Amino acid sequence: RVSGANSEVLPPSVTARYRITLAPDATQFSYQLTVWNPNRSHQPLSLQLRSGELVQKVDAAVRFEPTGNQYRFELPPGEQTIRLSGTLTGGATTTAHGTFRPPLAAAVHYLLLESHPLLRPAVTTEHVQRISPTETGLDVLLRGAQGFALRAGDSLTWQVLRLEAIHSTSFAIPSASHTYFLSGDGQVLGETALHIDNQGAPALTLPMQGTPS
């Protein structure tokens, strides 16, 4: 800077990384924003949530104020990292499709779309730039993740196909034998011997009409 010259206020630069995880019970999101404020004074940064986000946690070392679907951050000079996480309403449990729109203007938008093994997402947006999941800069937690690089004004739409779950056997009974004793007074006593092979069941329930003793 030149002493005595006019001080120009520059807008903060943002590199945005978004993670969307599709699960059978909910659709989770995690946004990581790396922000650089080149000015010597605090500058505002506004986020407009436009994808039905329900924010559950905000991790930021700066002051912020939520107002409806908008978050306003006060950025000090230098670099800051802001993280938001929560769920997206209208996820895989209620609808078979979803849409993501970046919540702010950024130099680069990286998106990592991952899903549960029982869900198979198909991106329906055309002319979207696909990249390797590792190029997003986020750790891949589930197999079959897809990476995208979005430009200003882009949005991503997908449809979810549910796969049928294969029911696993909890336990098997290779053999069972039943023996009954007829007493002289007319009472009947029974004895049952079961050979049980437990294949992962935490508890075994045997539906029996008699009263075991």
Side-chain angles (χ1 to χ4, degrees), residues 172-193:
I173 303 179
S175 63
S177 62
H178 308 277
T179 304
Y180 295 96
F181 301 93
L182 302 179
S183 62
D185 56 0
Q187 295 186 8
V188 180
L189 301 178
E191 181 182 88
T192 300

Side-chain angles (χ1 to χ4, degrees), residues 70-133:
Q70 186 176 11
Y71 281 76
R72 179 183 174 90
F73 297 87
E74 292 293 334
L75 303 176
E79 185 177 273
Q80 302 290 332
T81 300
I82 301 173
R83 294 181 176 89
L84 294 88
S85 59
T87 58
L88 297 180
T89 59
T93 55
T94 56
T95 60
H97 60 85
T99 302
F100 169 76
R101 299 178 181 86
L104 79 169
V108 184
H109 298 275
Y110 295 112
L111 173 62
L112 181 66
L113 181 64
E114 55 187 9
S115 60
H116 188 271
L118 293 181
L119 302 178
R120 180 176 299 173
V123 176
T124 58
T125 304
E126 299 180 356
H127 309 296
V128 63
Q129 182 180 356
R130 293 179 178 265
I131 60 177
S132 171

Side-chain angles (χ1 to χ4, degrees), residues 39-68:
N39 305 283
R40 294 185 177 181
S41 60
H42 285 65
Q43 296 298 319
L45 177 68
S46 296
L47 270 72
Q48 184 69 36
L49 303 178
R50 303 188 297 161
S51 304
E53 294 94 339
L54 179 60
V55 178
Q56 297 175 346
K57 182 180 179 181
V58 178
D59 184 7
V62 300
R63 187 173 58 185
F64 65 92
E65 179 182 359
T67 305

